[in-house]
Amino acid sequence: MRIACLVVCFLAVVHSTSALIEGLYCGTLNCYDVLELERGADAAAIRKSYRRLAVQYHPDKYKAPDAREKFQLLSTAYEILKDEEERTNYDYMLDHPDMVYRHYYNYYRKRVAPKVDVRVVIAGAILVISVIQYLGWWHSYNRAIKAALLMPQYRTRAKQIAEERRLLPLEKSKTKKVPKEVVKNEEEAILWSILEDNLNIIGGYSKPRIWDVLLFKILVSPYSLLLYLWWYGQWVWQFNIKKMEYGPEEKCYLTRRSLNLSQARWEALSAENRADLVSKELWVGDHLQSYKKEQEEEMKTKLADSSKHKMYRRYMKSHRS
């Protein structure tokens, strides 16, 4: 019986020793043995044992050659065992010596992972993306206004509006003493503001709105979801259950959805083009297929009449032969 107990104790020691990995935690030494503790020791016992050994092996008192390494090992063992998550990972390593990769992952995840709350990181990322998004939209919008200011038809119309409102200097005597560059800059600023007020830019170059950025959309997403559910419920009740006829807005929505067009792209179409598409009733499957075939035939006809396409066909024909 005594021999069996010795064998069990020996196997337990071998099992525990084989679980220790150089470079992880206390290396090839057991952190519990370093602090002279049993494995079931509580936080108070760990703290008491560390303080006792720290005083005993402090480099100022303990003059052995390995005093510094001994004291550092005590600190490492204490830092591991006082932290609940670290101690759990360490005990798991002692109990499962064969899961080496898992031990490396647990060890380095604790040390490499950012100390900041993940929620703070996500919120900061959303905020940065929203700011970049908003500034990018303003850049695109300013480019569109600048391009319109260079077009004769828009610039002439803006000048006419400015003269009607008496915003531009009409008499040269008033601007005689002012440098030409200053007068030109003021005139450009006036024309710019007029274009901003009167030019309706839609699509990707439209004027930015703060409620279109990612952060605002996330904040109002619960409200948007409720609105969508209310709209969808009304749609099902009116058109699926009561079989009511579609109104103008519903027809526009169905047409836009059939063509996979966003709201901005739909609004970018002319009123005549939108009315023509709605009249085709493209939400009906057969009508949509017929429309797509018409578009394909029209594209083939345009390509056949295109001089560039003819040159391309001649080029391909000559190289094939």
Side-chain angles (χ1 to χ4, degrees):
M1 186 67 179
R2 182 178 297 178
I3 295 175
C5 291
L6 291 174
V7 170
V8 171
C9 293
F10 175 76
L11 291 176
V13 172
V14 170
H15 180 272
S16 177
T17 305
S18 62
L20 304 175
I21 303 173
E22 183 67 37
L24 299 187
Y25 303 105
C26 296
T28 55
L29 298 177
N30 191 306
C31 292
Y32 291 101
D33 294 341
V34 171
L35 292 179
E36 300 178 359
L37 293 168
E38 297 294 332
R39 189 161 167 185
D42 57 9
I46 294 171
R47 188 164 51 251
K48 183 177 179 181
S49 180
Y50 169 71
R51 289 174 179 174
R52 177 178 58 83
L53 294 173
V55 172
Q56 180 180 348
Y57 291 104
H58 195 278
D60 293 340
K61 294 183 178 181
Y62 187 63
K63 299 301 181 182
D66 61 340
R68 188 173 296 278
E69 289 77 8
K70 179 75 173 177
F71 186 77
Q72 186 174 359
L73 183 61
L74 287 171
S75 300
T76 302
Y78 176 66
E79 291 295 328
I80 291 169
L81 296 183
K82 78 171 184 177
D83 186 282
E84 292 186 5
E85 184 180 356
E86 281 272 72
R87 186 177 180 181
T88 301
N89 292 336
Y90 184 70
D91 291 342
Y92 185 84
M93 185 184 75
L94 296 178
D95 295 334
H96 304 84
D98 53 325
M99 302 183 67
V100 179
Y101 293 109
R102 177 69 177 270
H103 306 327
Y104 274 101
Y105 170 76
N106 290 336
Y107 179 80
Y108 285 105
R109 180 180 63 85
K110 179 72 175 177
R111 286 151 181 79
V112 178
K115 300 297 186 291
V116 184
D117 192 343
V118 177
R119 291 169 295 183
V120 176
V121 175
I122 294 175
I126 292 174
L127 180 61
V128 171
I129 292 172
S130 300
V131 171
I132 295 174
Q133 187 182 35
Y134 191 65
L135 294 177
W137 286 343
W138 269 112
H139 177 69
S140 299
Y141 176 72
N142 290 332
R143 283 178 56 195
I145 294 293
K146 187 176 181 180
L149 199 58
L150 296 175
M151 295 181 181
Q153 63 270 30
Y154 293 117
R155 189 178 184 87
T156 302
R157 179 56 184 157
K159 277 188 174 183
Q160 291 176 355
I161 296 174
E163 290 174 356
E164 291 172 0
R165 298 177 183 177
R166 299 184 178 276
L167 299 175
L168 293 178
L170 302 178
E171 299 180 7
K172 294 184 179 179
S173 58
K174 295 182 180 180
T175 60
K176 187 181 296 183
K177 298 180 181 180
V178 182
K180 292 183 179 179
E181 186 176 351
V182 175
V183 175
K184 184 178 180 182
N185 291 337
E186 290 182 357
E187 181 179 334
E188 292 294 320
I190 292 170
L191 296 179
W192 184 287
S193 63
I194 290 174
L195 283 178
E196 279 190 327
D197 295 337
N198 295 274
L199 194 60
N200 183 24
I201 301 176
I202 56 179
Y205 293 89
S206 58
K207 193 170 185 177
R209 299 179 301 178
I210 191 66
W211 50 84
D212 287 336
V213 299
L214 177 62
L215 178 60
F216 192 85
K217 284 186 174 294
I218 292 176
L219 293 176
V220 301
S221 57
Y223 177 69
S224 301
L225 179 61
L226 289 176
L227 287 181
Y228 173 76
L229 292 176
W230 173 256
W231 171 85
Y232 185 74
Q234 284 187 320
W235 183 280
V236 171
W237 172 254
Q238 292 178 1
F239 305 114
N240 292 4
I241 298 176
K242 297 181 68 176
K243 303 297 181 181
M244 295 175 60
E245 293 186 0
Y246 295 126
E249 292 184 2
E250 288 77 16
K251 290 181 180 179
C252 287
Y253 167 75
L254 290 171
T255 304
R256 180 172 63 82
R257 191 182 66 174
S258 300
L259 297 173
N260 292 323
L261 296 177
S262 63
Q263 184 67 32
R265 290 185 61 188
W266 175 256
E267 292 176 355
L269 299 175
S270 63
E272 294 79 8
N273 196 356
R274 291 199 298 266
D276 180 61
L277 290 173
V278 170
S279 65
K280 295 180 184 296
E281 297 185 353
L282 299 179
W283 56 90
V284 181
D286 296 339
H287 295 185
L288 182 61
Q289 295 298 326
S290 301
Y291 173 76
K292 289 182 177 180
K293 289 182 180 179
E294 290 177 4
Q295 293 297 307
E296 290 177 1
E297 293 296 331
E298 185 178 346
M299 181 61 67
K300 289 179 182 179
T301 304
K302 289 181 178 179
L303 289 175
D305 296 337
S306 173
S307 58
K308 291 183 179 180
H309 187 65
K310 289 179 181 179
M311 291 175 60
Y312 173 75
R313 285 189 298 175
R314 286 196 296 267
Y315 172 80
M316 294 299 295
K317 196 174 185 180
S318 62
H319 279 70
R320 284 176 185 171
S321 58

